[in-house]
Amino acid sequence: MLVLRCTIKAFKKIGSVPRGVEVDMYQPTFGEWCVNTVDFINGGDLLLACMHVESLYVMFVPIQLPMSAEKLVEVLQSRLLARLIELETPPDAAQRILATYQDAAVLAKTNSRKIVGHMNSMLQDMEILLDIPELKLSEGNKILGTRIEHRLNYTPRGSSGKNVIWPLAKFWQCVRKLSPELPPRVPVNPTPSYDNDALPQIGKIFYDNFSDRLASKLCASFQEVDVLYSANKLQEIAEALDSRPAMLKSLAANNVKYFHDQVHVKLERLLRQRPSP
C-alpha cells in the first residue's frame, strides 16, 4: 500500500479527508511519502511537495484544479516511475518497485514531527533558492522544477554528524533494498555552469575524452540533473582527470578541482562497499 502522509493544508487542497491506516511492517514497500503545499508560489495552487520519508528525496506534483486524491496518487506514481528510469534503474526493476504498493493507496495524517520539520526546512530552502537569480531556477514565470529538485535533493538534511541524510544518495540506497542486484552508485555534484555559451565547449571536452554515454551523464551533472555514478564510471573519470592535464585546464573555469576531489573521495567510498574477494 502507498501511504501518503498529508498536512492539513494538503488535505484542503486535495479536497479529501484523512483515513486511519495500519501499515503492514512485514510487507516491504518502497516506503511512505509526506505531502505538503508550496504556499509561496502562486498561493499554493501550483505544486504539491512530496517527500519520500526514508530518504527525504523530493519530487513535485503539479496541481491541476480541481485536485483529487486519485489524481495525486496517479501523478506521483507516474513521476516516481519516470524518475527511477531517469536514474538508470532497469524498467523491470522500476516496475517491481512500484508493484510493492500493490495498486492500493491511502491518505493519512502526518505522524512524525521530525519528517514535517524536514519538509518545512526543505520548503524554506526552496524559497531562498528561488530568490537567487544567479542560480537560474526559473525562466520568466516558469519554474524549472527539475533543477530545483536537484538542488534540494543534493542538500543534506539533519544537523548531527551521524544523522545527516543526503537525499539523492539515500534514495538510491532505498532502491537497492528492493533491487539488491543493482550496483552501488553515488551522485557527484560539480559546480554547475550557468553560462549557456560555455555549455557546448564543456560538452565537446567530455565527448572528446569519454564514451558518449558517460559524456552525456557528465553534461547532465553540469546542468544540475540528478545523475548517479558507479565505481567503474568514477574510476574512468578519475583516471582521465589525473592523466590529461589539458582537459583539467580546459575545465578550470568550472572549478574542476572541486569536481576532481569529489570524484576521488566518492570512488574510495564506493570501493570500500565492495565485498572482499
Side-chain angles (χ1 to χ4, degrees):
M1 177 181 290
L2 170 60
V3 179
L4 302 178
R5 301 282 183 181
C6 300
T7 64
I8 294 174
K9 290 185 291 185
F11 274 118
K12 289 180 178 178
K13 190 64 60 179
I14 299 166
S16 185
V17 295
R19 291 172 49 193
V21 58
E22 292 185 7
V23 179
D24 183 357
M25 302 303 293
Y26 297 97
Q27 183 65 40
T29 74
F30 192 58
E32 299 182 357
W33 294 77
C34 180
V35 183
N36 200 2
T37 55
V38 184
D39 296 329
F40 51 85
I41 301 177
N42 201 36
D45 287 341
L46 187 65
L47 298 170
L48 287 169
C50 300
M51 176 178 280
H52 186 239
V53 169
E54 185 174 353
S55 66
L56 308 183
Y57 186 84
V58 177
M59 294 192 304
F60 294 110
V61 170
I63 293 175
Q64 301 174 10
L65 296 175
M67 196 68 178
S68 66
E70 292 77 12
K71 192 66 177 177
L72 170 60
V73 171
E74 176 189 341
V75 177
L76 175 60
Q77 289 191 314
S78 175
R79 294 218 65 206
L80 175 58
L81 177 61
R83 186 55 53 85
L84 288 169
I85 292 175
E86 288 167 4
L87 290 173
E88 299 181 279
T89 309
D92 59 336
Q95 292 285 1
R96 285 200 309 271
I97 288 169
L98 260 70
T100 63
Y101 290 132
Q102 298 182 328
D103 293 325
V106 61
L107 274 62
K109 290 181 180 179
T110 51
N111 63 348
S112 169
R113 296 174 69 178
K114 183 176 181 180
I115 292 300
V116 173
H118 283 307
M119 170 68 83
N120 291 335
S121 174
M122 178 276 296
L123 290 172
Q124 290 171 4
D125 289 346
M126 179 180 176
E127 187 171 13
I128 292 169
L129 291 172
L130 287 171
D131 284 337
I132 304 175
E134 294 81 3
L135 299 181
K136 297 185 178 180
L137 300 179
S138 61
E139 292 178 349
N141 294 325
K142 180 182 178 182
I143 302 295
L144 301 180
T146 300
R147 180 169 281 186
I148 295 169
E149 287 173 346
H150 170 83
R151 277 270 170 174
L152 297 171
N153 289 327
Y154 207 85
T155 300
R157 302 286 164 203
S159 56
S160 63
K162 289 187 177 180
N163 296 322
V164 171
I165 292 177
W166 293 83
L168 177 54
K170 183 66 173 179
F171 184 79
W172 185 249
Q173 290 174 15
C174 293
V175 170
R176 293 191 67 243
K177 283 183 182 180
L178 295 175
S179 294
E181 76 280 3
L182 299 178
R185 295 195 292 145
V186 294
V188 176
N189 198 39
T191 302
S193 175
Y194 301 120
D195 182 359
N196 290 333
D197 294 333
L199 288 174
Q201 179 61 27
I202 293 172
K204 184 177 186 307
I205 294 168
F206 288 144
Y207 280 98
D208 285 346
N209 288 276
F210 299 103
S211 67
D212 286 355
R213 185 170 182 178
L214 181 52
S216 177
K217 287 167 70 81
L218 287 164
C219 288
S221 291
F222 270 80
Q223 295 178 72
E224 294 191 292
V225 176
D226 286 353
V227 177
L228 294 163
Y229 297 89
S230 65
N232 289 341
K233 294 302 180 186
L234 288 180
Q235 185 77 54
E236 185 178 342
I237 296 169
E239 290 175 355
L241 291 173
D242 289 341
S243 64
R244 302 171 196 170
M247 181 168 62
L248 283 170
K249 185 176 180 180
S250 299
L251 288 169
N254 293 282
N255 199 359
V256 74
K257 184 180 186 304
Y258 172 69
F259 180 51
H260 173 272
D261 292 346
Q262 267 200 85
V263 168
H264 278 277
V265 168
K266 295 196 173 186
L267 174 59
E268 289 177 8
R269 290 177 183 169
L270 278 185
L271 292 176
R272 286 200 297 269
Q273 292 180 34
R274 285 182 172 177
S276 301

